[in-house]
Amino acid sequence: MATASRAHQPTPPIGGLVLGRVSGVPILLAPSWWFGAAVIVLLYVPLVERLLPSAGIGTAFALAVAFAVLLALSVLLHELGHCLVALRLGLPVHRVRLYLLGGLTEVARTPSQPRQEGVVAAAGPLVSVVLTVLPLGVFFLLEPGTPLALLVLQTAVANGLVAASNLLPGLPLDGGRMLRAGVWAVTGRRGTGTRAGVVGAGVVAAGLAWWAAAGLAAGAEDRWLRLGVCVLMAWFIVVGAGAELLSEQRRRWPDGVRLADLVRPVLQLPAESPVADALAASAGRGVVLVRADGVAAGLLDQKAATALAAVSPLAPAERAAEPIRPETVLLDSDPGEEVADRVGTTAAFQFLVVDAEGRPAGVLRREDLRAALGR
């Protein structure tokens, strides 16, 4: 079972069965999980029949279903370890998702410090280690050879495998994130840590390929199961490492470019101004629309304002405003990488830039930043 935490992704659409929310974070069961659960049940029933010859097919099937559910619960607790630690460190989380290969915690913002990355990554395997030790303690209290003892033992073994596989030093696994955090802390460069994690991913994928090939060459009893697991894990690791490298490249801030070079001048207008007049006054500037009580109604959306002015030029400009939310406000002193990260993870076309006193200093438009990063 592979699990991972993924950083600085755009807000994803809700997909799958919502199991509930933890600290406001939705817990989703992806459609692919049902396929994975069915495969686990099909593989587990023969195992029960071999280890417990006295168990009937009904008992074997019930144990297989219980094992699939307990495994899903174990993966969920692993992911909640990531999720709750990330929230504790002030990193927002989009969602936690259980799917075919395991679980995924989608962290909304890239950690700004290697310590944050390392602590969040280590939280999941730590939970899995605890979930390995506790069932083992229960197992020794049970009568050997019973269906319950087998279920408890297999749950402990599964959690041990989850912990061990996720500590492999390759992105996007937790071990790869811990490796990135360590290299980042030593070199002071997150990009260097990412490249180390990508190299680690290549080594891990090669190791999985070798193990699968060795099983085929030796005619091992589990060679086909081993091949399937290795292929899935290697695919997950290679694709995930590539995505991490691409994401790192996209958040690199161009040398010699300042945020002030990309920010458009800001103009404040009454929110009730006719939309046609607001458009004419903007002239390439960002427009903050302010209500009579002094509260900002939002930033003028050029496309929406143009469409509105075409049919109703005297309509209040507020009707074409893009709301100003906490995540769409940037400090003019924010580091470039943090600005790129915020823009990349927030669904908005423009961002209000303020100074240390909270006064509007300009407006950053997504297309302006994208053009600068492209150059």
Side-chain angles (χ1 to χ4, degrees):
M1 276 282 167
T3 68
S5 56
R6 185 169 67 192
H8 69 291
Q9 297 295 326
T11 303
I14 295 296
L17 177 65
V18 180
L19 301 178
R21 292 178 180 268
V22 174
S23 297
V25 177
I27 310 299
L28 303 180
L29 193 66
S32 62
W33 180 86
W34 298 99
F35 175 77
V39 172
I40 290 172
V41 170
L42 290 175
L43 294 175
Y44 195 77
V45 167
L47 176 64
V48 174
E49 292 178 329
R50 187 165 65 249
L51 297 178
L52 292 176
S54 60
I57 184 63
T59 300
F61 182 77
L63 285 176
V65 172
F67 177 73
V69 172
L70 286 174
L71 183 58
L73 180 61
S74 299
V75 173
L76 174 59
L77 292 175
H78 175 110
E79 295 303 324
L80 288 179
H82 291 308
C83 174
L84 295 177
V85 170
L87 293 174
R88 179 71 176 176
L89 294 175
L91 300 172
V93 177
H94 284 318
R95 64 181 179 179
V96 172
R97 185 160 54 105
L98 303 183
Y99 66 112
L100 172 63
L101 294 179
L104 187 66
T105 299
E106 298 181 356
V107 181
R109 191 171 70 243
T110 302
S112 59
Q113 302 172 5
R115 181 185 67 85
Q116 291 179 328
E117 174 110 38
V119 170
V120 172
L126 180 60
V127 171
S128 293
V129 169
V130 172
L131 293 177
T132 301
V133 174
L134 291 181
L136 281 178
V138 173
F139 171 75
F140 290 114
L141 300 177
L142 298 174
E143 181 181 351
T146 63
L148 180 59
L150 176 63
L151 179 62
V152 170
L153 178 60
Q154 291 295 327
T155 301
V157 171
N159 276 287
L161 291 175
V162 169
S165 63
N166 277 279
L167 287 174
L168 294 174
L171 288 170
L173 299 174
D174 298 328
R177 296 188 181 282
M178 294 165 69
L179 172 63
R180 173 164 62 188
V183 174
W184 182 6
V186 171
T187 64
R189 296 179 177 272
R190 189 177 189 275
T192 302
T194 297
R195 288 189 287 275
V198 170
V199 172
V203 173
V204 170
L208 289 170
W210 174 85
W211 189 51
L216 291 174
E221 183 179 352
D222 65 342
R223 59 187 181 278
W224 299 115
L225 175 61
R226 186 189 302 187
L227 177 64
V229 171
C230 287
V231 167
L232 284 175
M233 278 202 66
W235 172 82
F236 172 81
I237 290 171
V238 169
V239 172
E244 289 284 347
L245 185 60
L246 180 61
S247 177
E248 188 69 42
Q249 292 171 343
R250 285 177 174 172
R251 71 186 297 270
R252 290 181 59 187
W253 191 260
D255 293 335
V257 175
R258 300 176 305 147
L259 177 58
D261 298 331
L262 306 179
V263 168
R264 300 191 181 202
V266 65
L267 173 68
Q268 297 189 48
L269 291 176
E272 64 273 12
S273 300
V275 64
D277 293 347
L279 270 176
S282 62
R285 294 175 288 187
V287 177
V288 178
L289 299 171
V290 183
R291 298 192 181 103
D293 57 3
V295 176
L299 296 172
L300 184 69
D301 184 327
Q302 295 287 324
K303 291 184 178 180
T306 301
L308 179 60
V311 296
S312 182
L314 298 181
E318 183 177 358
R319 289 174 53 185
E322 185 176 358
I324 299 175
R325 308 188 304 274
E327 59 269 27
T328 63
V329 178
L330 304 170
L331 281 174
D332 58 3
S333 58
D334 283 342
E337 287 79 7
E338 290 188 16
V339 172
D341 195 46
R342 176 77 67 83
V343 174
T345 59
T346 304
F349 292 106
Q350 51 188 344
F351 298 77
L352 179 64
V353 180
V354 300
D355 61 18
E357 303 297 326
R359 295 171 299 197
V363 172
L364 175 65
R365 293 186 178 172
R366 179 182 294 275
E367 64 265 25
D368 294 339
L369 177 60
R370 183 179 297 155
L373 295 180
R375 291 193 298 270

